[in-house]
Amino acid sequence: PDLNKCLRAFVYYMTEKATPPRIVWDLHRGNTRYLLNVAVRHNNIAIRRAEYSHLSGYSVKYTTNDDADFFWDLIVLSSTTAVFLMRQTHIRHREAAAHFLAIRGIPFHTVFEPDLRVQVPHLLPSVRITLGYRSRGARFTKHDYRVYESAIQDLLSTPKARAAVLRGGLLWRLAMEYSQHAIIDEAISGPSTDVWYFGHEFFPRRGPAVMDDGLSPDEIDLLCGVYRVYSSKLSQHNMHILYTNW
């Protein structure tokens, strides 16, 4: 009952855009579980701001021996997620943190700085893959849905499919439902071999670029079951297209 009261009070103050009382807010210095108290805080976590082109968030590392064996850096995309990890005092390394996020559908990145002496990225143009075009008023059938399921299973069988887990939200849910292998284990193991050809590059203000697996806009549309629908008569200079999905 006390927990329910605290939760209701916290939600009330958040929706009213007022500062919650210290009893329900562990970021208040007067709270007995204040997150930065020496007796409470996570003493092995190090969080800093991370700014790249097309990627802004927080780098999360751990000052334990177990955290020294990973070639990639964990980037979370919001301060909320960073604080959430600060509360998980049982987590001792970034792979465990990635697993904690991955099973909950919380987005993150696992970026690494490629050693150009070993291998140089050869990023290829994204292949145009879609579920196709339909005329206006077309009826979708069970066969269309089976084709859709087969297409996303093919995509999720590729090494870079782990990027769907990293995106969180709907793409994470679809990956969890349709993937036929241990996609969570792959997601928390760092960038795949596909990263050299289909990965995304992120550039800091200074220093070398970092990379991670990613999905193209077409691949995201494919996972979400998006079809292109002609909305008017076709002509050489006039082609209006709408988008619909399952």
Side-chain angles (χ1 to χ4, degrees):
D2 290 339
L3 177 60
N4 288 334
K5 288 181 180 179
C6 289
L7 290 174
R8 287 197 297 269
F10 187 82
V11 171
Y12 168 79
Y13 281 101
M14 289 291 98
T15 55
E16 294 297 320
K17 296 182 179 180
T19 302
R22 63 185 182 183
I23 193 173
V24 298
W25 190 25
D26 63 2
L27 294 180
H28 194 294
R29 290 182 179 274
N31 187 288
T32 56
R33 300 287 298 173
Y34 176 50
L35 201 56
L36 297 182
N37 276 348
V38 174
V40 174
R41 71 187 182 194
H42 196 321
N43 292 315
N44 297 116
I45 194 170
I47 298 174
R48 64 176 178 81
R49 186 70 176 161
E51 292 283 356
Y52 300 93
S53 61
H54 311 297
L55 175 60
S56 178
Y58 298 85
S59 170
V60 179
K61 294 184 179 181
Y62 294 84
T63 58
T64 61
N65 292 333
D66 293 337
D67 198 58
D69 297 330
F70 303 104
F71 70 94
W72 48 270
D73 289 332
L74 176 63
I75 305 291
V76 298
L77 306 186
S78 72
S79 56
T80 302
T81 304
V83 171
F84 194 27
L85 288 177
M86 287 179 66
R87 295 189 176 105
Q88 314 310 315
T89 54
H90 63 285
I91 294 178
R92 315 299 289 180
H93 55 78
R94 70 192 81 169
E95 187 178 70
H99 185 270
F100 181 84
L101 300 175
I103 62 175
R104 290 166 173 79
I106 300 174
F108 62 96
H109 271 287
T110 54
V111 302
F112 82 111
E113 180 184 325
D115 187 344
L116 302 183
R117 297 170 299 177
V118 178
Q119 186 168 353
V120 177
H122 294 283
L123 297 180
L124 302 176
S126 60
V127 179
R128 190 74 190 271
I129 54 171
T130 71
L131 291 173
Y133 291 77
R134 296 292 189 274
S135 60
R136 190 171 186 177
R139 293 179 178 272
F140 293 92
T141 66
K142 292 181 180 179
H143 173 72
D144 291 313
Y145 194 76
R146 286 195 291 269
V147 170
Y148 159 65
E149 289 185 310
S150 177
I152 63 175
Q153 286 170 358
D154 286 345
L155 175 58
L156 291 174
S157 68
T158 62
K160 67 175 178 178
R162 62 183 293 275
V165 175
L166 305 187
R167 292 292 293 261
L170 177 60
L171 295 179
W172 167 83
R173 187 170 295 278
L174 290 167
M176 296 296 290
E177 181 173 351
Y178 286 101
S179 176
Q180 298 179 344
H181 57 285
I183 197 168
I184 288 291
D185 291 340
E186 294 178 2
I188 67 174
S189 297
S192 72
T193 53
D194 274 356
V195 75
W196 299 103
Y197 310 103
F198 306 106
H200 289 179
E201 287 185 301
F202 306 102
F203 296 90
R205 293 181 178 177
R206 301 183 186 86
V210 296
M211 301 182 68
D212 197 7
D213 289 299
L215 298 173
S216 70
D218 278 345
E219 289 168 333
I220 293 173
D221 282 350
L222 178 67
L223 286 173
C224 295
V226 172
Y227 293 84
R228 275 74 170 172
V229 178
Y230 298 118
S231 62
S232 63
K233 292 183 179 180
L234 301 182
S235 69
Q236 183 177 359
H237 304 291
N238 185 20
M239 182 184 296
H240 296 289
I241 297 175
L242 299 177
Y243 297 87
T244 187
N245 67 326
W246 291 104

